[in-house]
Amino acid sequence: MLWLLIVLAYLLGSVSGSLCLGKLRGVDIRTLGSGNAGGTNALRTQGVAFALGVVLIDVGKGLLAAWLAGHFLPGNDMAAMACVFAAVVGHIWPLWHGFRGGKGAATLVGGLIMVWPQALVLLFAVWILCLLLTGYVGLSTVLAAISLLASAAWSDADAGVWWFAAASAMLLTFSHRSNLQRLHAGTENRFEKARLLGRLFSGRRG
């Protein structure tokens, strides 16, 4: 049953919110902006309403994957985490869309809501703080994913949770590798309007 649920979670994750909604609008956002089929590129290229729809679908996939595991294998937290991870893999490499998807953050957050909600406190705190300081969404997301390891340490988590935290952090770091490469090269796109703390501190130094 577990392997069947993992495969089902992967297939569920393969349903890309941006690509499905894009078909209704007649666009493929993988041909626009950064070329990524995720919420950030959806916002940049298609606007707030479209991006909100994308995020709701992608978060919902993680929620549903975790719910399915809880429904068919109640009390098995590791099964739920495995299904969430499979849904994130499906989002990044979607079977239905030529294995070219998004970067997995929204789907991971959806799954965490069900399987590890306590970790979201630090995750969102790290994401928001980094975004306010730097304006870099990709860097903020990578650091937020890595914060799962800190949450595992502070909660004295068992080995299964550590594996999930480490695997999720590595997967999102890998899926954001192009952002990190552009950041290193100095060509990464920045949401300047979000960099409130960064501008404040730079203004004080000036």
Side-chain angles (χ1 to χ4, degrees), residues 58-67 80-81 83-85 87-88 104-117 120 164:
D58 292 344
V59 168
K61 296 187 302 187
L63 279 165
L64 185 54
W67 179 86
M81 290 184 175
C83 287
V84 170
F85 189 81
V88 176
T107 302
L108 177 61
V109 167
L112 289 172
I113 292 172
M114 292 289 290
V115 303
W116 195 9
L120 289 172
F164 174 74

Side-chain angles (χ1 to χ4, degrees), residues 5-20 30 36-38 57-62 65 81-108 164 167-168 171-172 174-175:
L5 288 172
I6 289 174
V7 171
L8 182 60
Y10 167 77
L11 296 176
L12 177 65
S14 291
V15 179
S16 172
S18 64
L19 298 180
C20 290
R30 294 176 299 182
N36 180 254
I57 292 173
D58 292 344
V59 168
K61 296 187 302 187
M81 290 184 175
C83 287
V84 170
F85 189 81
V88 176
V89 171
H91 179 82
I92 298 171
W93 295 288
L95 177 65
W96 317 123
H97 304 288
F99 301 101
R100 289 181 57 211
K103 296 184 179 179
T107 302
L108 177 61
F164 174 74
S168 297
L171 181 60
L172 261 66
F174 179 79
S175 70

Side-chain angles (χ1 to χ4, degrees), residues 34-35 39 44 50 59 82 84 99 108 123 125 154 160 178 195-197:
S34 67
R44 286 194 177 111
F50 185 92
V59 168
V84 170
F99 301 101
L108 177 61
L123 183 146
W154 289 345
S178 60
R195 198 174 67 93
L196 300 177
L197 293 179

Side-chain angles (χ1 to χ4, degrees), residues 1-202:
M1 174 60 76
L2 175 57
W3 286 109
L4 179 61
L5 288 172
I6 289 174
V7 171
L8 182 60
Y10 167 77
L11 296 176
L12 177 65
S14 291
V15 179
S16 172
S18 64
L19 298 180
C20 290
L21 293 180
K23 286 184 178 181
L24 297 178
R25 186 173 285 194
V27 298
D28 183 344
I29 71 167
R30 294 176 299 182
T31 65
L32 303 171
S34 67
N36 180 254
T40 302
N41 195 37
L43 176 62
R44 286 194 177 111
T45 62
Q46 301 298 312
V48 175
F50 185 92
L52 180 59
V54 169
V55 170
L56 288 175
I57 292 173
D58 292 344
V59 168
K61 296 187 302 187
L63 279 165
L64 185 54
W67 179 86
L68 286 171
H71 180 75
F72 289 103
L73 295 173
N76 191 333
D77 293 340
M78 292 303 98
M81 290 184 175
C83 287
V84 170
F85 189 81
V88 176
V89 171
H91 179 82
I92 298 171
W93 295 288
L95 177 65
W96 317 123
H97 304 288
F99 301 101
R100 289 181 57 211
K103 296 184 179 179
T107 302
L108 177 61
V109 167
L112 289 172
I113 292 172
M114 292 289 290
V115 303
W116 195 9
Q118 302 89 336
L120 289 172
V121 177
L122 181 59
L123 183 146
F124 280 125
V126 169
W127 189 84
I128 292 170
L129 180 60
C130 184
L131 185 63
L132 291 175
L133 283 170
T134 70
Y136 293 121
V137 177
L139 176 63
S140 302
T141 304
V142 169
L143 293 178
I146 293 172
S147 78
L148 292 176
L149 296 169
S151 293
W154 289 345
S155 62
D156 194 24
D158 59 27
V161 175
W162 272 102
W163 276 108
F164 174 74
S168 297
M170 288 189 291
L171 181 60
L172 261 66
T173 299
F174 179 79
S175 70
H176 286 80
R177 64 194 182 281
S178 60
N179 299 82
L180 299 176
Q181 289 166 353
R182 289 193 298 269
L183 186 63
H184 180 70
T187 59
E188 173 71 333
N189 291 322
R190 192 203 304 258
F191 269 129
E192 191 61 39
K193 290 182 179 180
R195 198 174 67 93
L196 300 177
L197 293 179
R199 294 202 303 273
L200 177 63
F201 292 148
S202 62

